[in-house]
Amino acid sequence: MNSSYSKLVKNLEYLKLKQMLVHLDETIDFMTNNQLSFTETLIKLTDYEIDMKEVNMVRSMVKVGAFPHLKEIKDFDFEFQPSINKQQILDFATLRFIEQKENIVFLGTSGVGKTHLATSIGIAAAKKRTSTYFIKCNDLIMNLKKAKLENRLENRLKHYAKYKLLIIDEIGYLPIDAEDAK
């Protein structure tokens, strides 16, 4: 191992550029075999690091979203529910409704896939770096009631308001008394 290569490896380790380190040898070989310029080689090498950071960012956004499961639109069986307009759902996944400051409400009986579709749209949003949070209506009410008792209601409301997409599931699933409805 030559000294400049060793120094490069140490620098990458120190800077914690793990993907660049993992792909260093193959990138050097590719550069040599394809006569890439220094700039082209550096772009190829940094792309590995950027790709991994993007994957980690998406994973983090999905985790923060607190989804009940990781089902996506591609996992939904539209043939099982032919009354659901697939094109409309795909349009929702583009997040155009967020840009237009619109709300989506899924109505239907239990078991038709409302949670799956809401989660799928939320995951699509999180993957596009849109701050997203999923919560059941009853949990939301309980959190707000607790915050009110602790004199932190305004802070708790600000917490929920910071998300560009707030998914509230199971509205109407459990009865809501008059005080909670406020």
Side-chain angles (χ1 to χ4, degrees):
M1 216 187 306
N2 67 34
S3 61
S4 59
Y5 178 83
S6 297
K7 177 68 175 162
L8 177 58
V9 168
K10 286 181 183 175
N11 287 353
L12 293 174
E13 287 172 344
Y14 180 80
L15 294 170
K16 295 184 169 104
L17 297 171
K18 294 176 185 170
Q19 293 306 308
M20 290 176 69
L21 186 57
V22 166
H23 297 282
L24 181 61
D25 290 334
E26 74 183 68
T27 303
I28 291 171
D29 291 343
F30 188 81
M31 174 196 71
T32 305
N33 294 334
N34 295 286
Q35 300 179 339
L36 295 182
S37 70
F38 172 75
T39 304
E40 291 169 323
T41 304
L42 200 51
I43 288 170
K44 184 169 179 53
L45 201 52
T46 55
D47 278 347
Y48 288 117
E49 201 67 39
I50 290 168
D51 291 346
M52 185 52 69
K53 287 190 185 306
E54 285 293 317
V55 165
N56 289 338
M57 175 61 72
V58 166
R59 191 176 297 137
S60 174
M61 294 286 288
V62 168
K63 186 176 180 180
V64 167
F67 300 107
H69 46 69
L70 297 179
K71 293 182 179 176
E72 297 186 52
I73 289 175
K74 65 180 171 55
D75 303 319
F76 190 79
D77 184 3
F78 286 95
E79 290 180 17
F80 178 70
Q81 292 297 342
S83 62
I84 294 174
N85 183 334
K86 182 177 181 177
Q87 292 309 313
Q88 186 177 37
I89 300 300
L90 295 175
D91 180 51
F92 291 153
T94 69
L95 309 183
R96 187 171 59 92
F97 73 96
I98 294 174
E99 293 169 23
Q100 295 180 344
K101 299 182 183 343
E102 296 175 344
N103 295 316
I104 298 173
V105 178
F106 290 141
L107 298 172
T109 58
S110 184
V112 296
K114 297 180 301 293
T115 299
H116 182 148
L117 291 172
T119 299
S120 299
I121 292 165
I123 289 173
K127 284 184 170 186
K128 292 179 183 174
R129 293 182 167 206
T130 300
S131 59
T132 305
Y133 192 72
F134 182 101
I135 190 166
K136 291 182 179 180
C137 183
N138 190 54
D139 294 339
L140 176 64
I141 291 170
M142 291 299 137
N143 290 346
L144 293 175
K145 280 175 85 167
K146 182 180 177 196
K148 185 177 180 183
L149 290 172
E150 295 171 351
N151 206 22
R152 299 180 305 109
L153 182 59
E154 190 174 326
N155 286 343
R156 182 71 355 199
L157 288 171
K158 283 181 184 176
H159 167 76
Y160 292 122
K162 76 179 181 182
Y163 295 101
K164 263 198 132 77
L165 177 59
L166 180 63
I167 301 168
I168 305 172
D169 194 30
E170 297 183 353
I171 294 176
Y173 188 71
L174 294 174
I176 301 173
D177 65 39
E179 184 62 28
D180 292 346
K182 293 179 185 176

